[in-house]
Every structure is written in C-alpha cells, then in structure tokens.
Amino acid sequence: MLRENQRRFKFDWITIILFLLLVGFGYLNILSASHVGEVTNYFDTSELYGKQLIFIGLTFVLIVLILSFEAKFYERFASIIYLVAILALIGLFIFGKDVNGARSWYGIGSMTIQPSEFAKFATSLAVAKYISDLQTNMQTLKDQLRVTAIIFIPALLILLQNDAGSTIVYLAFFFVFYREGLQQVYLIIALSLIILAVLGLKFGIAVTAVIASIIILSTYFLRKKKRGSILQYIVVLVVSIGFSYGVKLFYEHGLKAHQQNRISLWLRLEKDPAKLEKMKKEEAYNLIQSEQAISSGSWTGKGFLQGTRTTGKFVPEQETDYIFSTVGEEWGFLGSSFVVILFVLLIIRILYLAESQKSQFSRVYGYGVASILFIHFTINTGMVMGLIPTVGIPLPFFSYGGSGLWGFTILLFIFIKLDSNKINEW
C-alpha cells in the first residue's frame, strides 16, 4: 500500500527544478531592476523586490494547494473554472481599475489582481475538456467552431479592456488544435495571411498583388494533377489582394497613433527623417534603451547590481515587460543564453510529458501549457530586442507581479499534478 501511495505522488522534479531556477533568477533580476541605492532590507515591502519576495512565498502556498487536489478535480470542474474566469473578466467592465489605459485589474486595497493572467489556465482546462470529449471530432467544422469560441470569448473580453498583448497569447491554442487533428491547411492559411499583411504594409498593395499573382498562378501551372479550375485560383488571388488592402485600411484608420507608430518602426515604414526621429523619442524610447542596455552587457555582463542603465532607471517598465534587458546588461550574452536554455528545456520537457500522457485531457492541457509559455517567451524576448513590435506581455516567472507569477504557476503545476496521476490512468 505504501508503494502505491508513493507512486501516486511521483512529481516530475526536472520540471519543478526548471521552474525554481526561473523564479529564483527572475527575482535576482527584479531586485536589480527595482532597487535604489544599497539594499539593506530584502523584505522592505515599500520596494518592488520586497513585494515580489512575498509573492514568491505565497506561490509555494499556492503550489501546495494545487497539488493537494485530486487530478480528476481539474477535469471534472474545468467548465466551472472557465465560467468563473469569464465572469471575472466581465466584472472588470463594472468594477475594474484603469492602469496605463487598460481596464484589466481589480483593486484590493493597495494591491491589484489581473484576471486575464488566471484566464489562461482556465481556458486551457476548458479546451482540454472539450477536445477530450468522446463526441468531439476536430476534423469537423462544427467542433472547430465550438472550440474556437472557447478561446475567442476570453480573448475578445481582454481585447475590449485595451490589453492587446494578453489577447495575442490566445493564438497559442492553435498549436494545440493542430496537434489534436486540425487540418494543416488552416496553418497554411494563417501563415499566408500574416505574410500578406506584412507585404501590404511594407511594399504596398500593387507590389503585393504582383507577388501574390506570381505565386498563385505558378502554383496552378506547376500542379498538373488535382489543380482544379483556374477560377478557384483567381478567387484566391482576389481574396488575397482584398485582404492586404483591408489590413492597410485598418492600419491607417482603425489603429491608434501609438499602435501605428510601433508597427511603422518595426517595419521601417516611415521615410521622413524628422518624423522618424520624433517617433523614436516617443514610441521607441523603451526599445532603444532596452537594446542599449542589452548590448552594453557584452559577453559576460557588468555583474549583479552593477548595470549602469538598470540602476540608472534608463529603461522604463524594466521590472515587468522589459526585465530581459536587465539579464542582458548584468549577465551578458552567457546569462541571456542561460535563460533562453532554461525556457527551451522547460517547454520541451512539458511537450515530452504531454506525449507520455494516457489521458487525452492531460495531453491537450500539457500542449496548452507549453504553447502559452512559448508565445509569452518568444514575444517578450523578441519585443525587448526589437525583433517584433512592442506589446505589453510579461516574461513568465521573471516579470514583476503577483498575478502573473501566480497565473503561470497555477498553469504549470496543474499539469504537474495531472502528470503525477498518469500511472493511475488506463
């Protein structure tokens, strides 16, 4: 009997160790980014590093609570957890607190709670619950639309709260859908639309139309077998050009000025030197300072608490969205590579464990966890280095804040609990 009980609680310590390393290293960088002068009291709750230490302490209490529930609890109550998350998002429109133009927080005394961080694990549970249902077939349009609606509802609510960064994260679930049987054509269409959007903005509609015509018509003449009617290809061409034109119209008339400027800087659209310089001072200030901080770290970095741009507060929001710039300056290329390797190992480990699950619910949820972490990690580090447009999105386990840390912890440790129970699955 003792042996059986021991097997029931066999947690994956590789995943847990990677989590602890990320949280620990993240705290050191929050300490660097938030301290002013000499650090004399690490528990000073008037400083961000003191608050983060409390958040980390409460995280371990949360972990114990998550692991204390039976694994089947999360599958059984997935729909209820999802409903609570949706109601919490809706409640923000009435009781929410505005922070930096986004109505995404509940104010509780001096603290704030961001429901969108918790909606990620709730949506992952709901998606896993629906896909693992015996009557669900991801090959059918009906089920594809229903499971898309599950992710669309929280994504739309978050977008209406002016939090575009958190909305983008929900695209991660299409990796999950693909693993569970979504046809490859959807990914091809999605990739094609992204390319058309970028081409239309960068080179204009005329050039995009020429490129699309060459590719589509070449495909028609090269596919001698099963190429269908040329009319179908012409329709695809017209739709492609129309989509590019629609994206350009939305860019010019649907986006706010600061959103246009971020995309313009990313794609190098602005040709007027005076306007470009003004945009750099206003919209690209954070990015320029971040890039300079990272590049100043060279190979080995300036040392812990020794980053001049970090201690000088040159990089705004360095404790949250731009925390990776602290890593680059103080720990250099080697330290940055270490962080990247930790994240890659964690994501690969989760995918490996997901594939070993006997339960489809656990497998789907595991892929949801890996996909969300991948999107967050890729967008945040890419944003900080100027590889993608600037959006407000935290680096998991690194960025300052209780909501983010707790949300990612719940997301990860629910899967750890599900994985620990796979020996009892049939």
Side-chain angles (χ1 to χ4, degrees):
M1 181 64 69
L2 180 60
R3 182 180 299 176
E4 184 65 26
N5 288 335
Q6 288 175 341
R7 294 174 72 188
R8 287 178 181 273
F9 295 96
K10 187 178 180 181
F11 302 119
D12 186 70
W13 283 101
I14 295 178
T15 303
I16 294 174
I17 290 171
L18 290 170
F19 162 80
L20 293 174
L21 287 172
L22 287 169
V23 172
F25 196 38
Y27 172 73
L28 292 179
N29 286 278
I30 290 173
L31 176 61
S32 292
S34 62
H35 88 284
V36 178
E38 185 178 354
V39 179
T40 58
N41 182 5
Y42 291 97
F43 297 95
D44 184 358
T45 56
S46 64
E47 299 289 347
L48 295 184
Y49 58 80
K51 295 178 182 178
Q52 188 68 14
L53 201 57
I54 294 176
F55 295 151
I56 292 173
L58 292 174
T59 296
F60 289 101
V61 177
L62 187 61
I63 290 171
V64 173
L65 182 63
I66 294 168
L67 298 180
S68 66
F69 286 101
E70 292 184 4
K72 285 296 181 182
F73 169 86
Y74 298 105
E75 181 176 2
R76 192 176 301 120
F77 292 96
S79 300
I80 296 176
I81 294 172
Y82 175 76
L83 179 60
V84 171
I86 296 300
L87 292 175
L89 291 174
I90 294 174
L92 287 170
F93 294 103
I94 304 172
F95 306 106
K97 178 180 180 181
D98 286 311
V99 179
N100 296 328
R103 198 176 182 84
S104 303
W105 287 265
Y106 285 112
I108 304 175
S110 60
M111 292 182 59
T112 56
I113 297 293
Q114 189 175 6
S116 62
E117 296 295 341
F118 302 97
K120 296 167 190 173
F121 83 83
T123 305
S124 298
L125 287 172
V127 168
K129 176 70 172 178
Y130 185 80
I131 291 180
S132 61
D133 190 289
L134 291 175
Q135 298 179 346
T136 299
N137 182 1
M138 287 299 291
Q139 297 289 331
T140 64
L141 181 60
K142 177 188 69 174
D143 287 328
Q144 291 169 2
L145 292 175
R146 287 178 176 175
V147 76
T148 300
I150 293 175
I151 66 171
F152 178 77
I153 293 172
L156 178 62
L157 291 173
I158 293 169
L159 182 62
L160 293 175
Q161 295 160 11
N162 199 27
D163 187 0
S166 296
T167 304
I168 294 174
V169 174
Y170 286 82
L171 295 175
F173 288 101
F174 285 95
F175 294 116
V176 182
F177 299 165
Y178 179 68
R179 168 60 182 83
E180 296 303 317
L182 188 70
Q183 294 92 331
Q184 191 176 32
V185 65
Y186 288 104
L187 291 180
I188 295 174
I189 292 173
L191 181 61
S192 300
L193 292 178
I194 293 172
I195 294 173
L196 285 169
V198 172
L199 287 175
L201 292 175
K202 180 67 176 177
F203 301 106
I205 304 303
V207 174
T208 303
V210 172
I211 295 174
S213 299
I214 293 174
I215 294 174
I216 292 173
L217 294 178
S218 297
T219 302
Y220 171 78
F221 288 111
L222 291 174
R223 291 187 65 186
K224 296 182 179 180
K225 296 181 180 180
K226 299 180 181 181
R227 65 184 181 185
S229 170
I230 192 172
L231 182 62
Q232 295 175 329
Y233 290 81
I234 294 175
V235 170
V236 172
L237 176 60
V238 172
V239 170
S240 300
I241 297 172
F243 174 78
S244 297
Y245 183 69
V247 169
K248 193 169 183 64
L249 282 179
F250 180 73
Y251 168 78
E252 294 175 346
H253 305 288
L255 295 179
K256 296 179 181 179
H258 73 278
Q259 294 171 326
Q260 291 180 5
N261 290 341
R262 288 175 180 178
I263 295 176
S264 178
L265 286 167
W266 176 52
L267 295 177
R268 310 293 192 269
L269 302 180
E270 185 57 61
K271 305 300 181 184
D272 187 329
K275 289 183 179 180
L276 180 60
E277 190 63 29
K278 182 181 178 181
M279 287 168 58
K280 286 182 177 181
K281 289 181 179 179
E282 294 177 355
E283 301 299 334
Y285 178 80
N286 289 24
L287 174 60
I288 291 173
Q289 295 299 327
S290 173
E291 290 177 336
Q292 290 178 351
I294 292 173
S295 62
S296 69
S298 190
W299 282 93
T300 58
K302 297 176 180 177
F304 180 53
L305 300 179
Q306 301 301 313
T308 53
R309 292 189 171 275
T310 295
T311 57
K313 308 303 177 187
F314 283 90
V315 184
E317 308 296 335
Q318 194 166 12
E319 305 88 358
T320 53
D321 297 343
Y322 283 85
I323 190 67
F324 194 74
S325 64
T326 304
V327 180
E329 182 179 24
E330 297 198 343
W331 305 89
F333 176 80
L334 295 179
S336 300
S337 298
F338 175 69
V339 173
V340 170
I341 290 171
L342 286 180
F343 273 107
V344 170
L345 289 176
L346 177 61
I347 293 169
I348 291 176
R349 184 64 182 176
I350 294 170
L351 291 174
Y352 170 78
L353 294 175
E355 285 296 337
S356 69
Q357 301 301 308
K358 298 176 183 178
S359 161
Q360 186 181 19
F361 174 84
S362 299
R363 183 182 71 232
V364 174
Y365 182 80
Y367 266 86
V369 174
S371 299
I372 290 173
L373 292 178
F374 171 76
I375 289 291
H376 266 276
F377 164 70
T378 303
I379 292 179
N380 181 273
T381 53
M383 171 190 75
V384 169
M385 293 184 288
L387 300 177
I388 61 175
T390 299
V391 293
I393 189 170
L395 185 61
F397 312 119
F398 257 71
S399 295
Y400 168 80
S403 295
L405 177 59
W406 296 336
F408 287 119
T409 299
I410 296 172
L411 179 75
L412 177 62
F413 274 84
I414 286 178
F415 178 65
I416 290 175
K417 179 62 178 182
L418 294 175
D419 176 69
S420 72
N421 190 57
K422 66 185 176 185
I423 196 167
N424 299 314
E425 299 284 353
W426 294 92

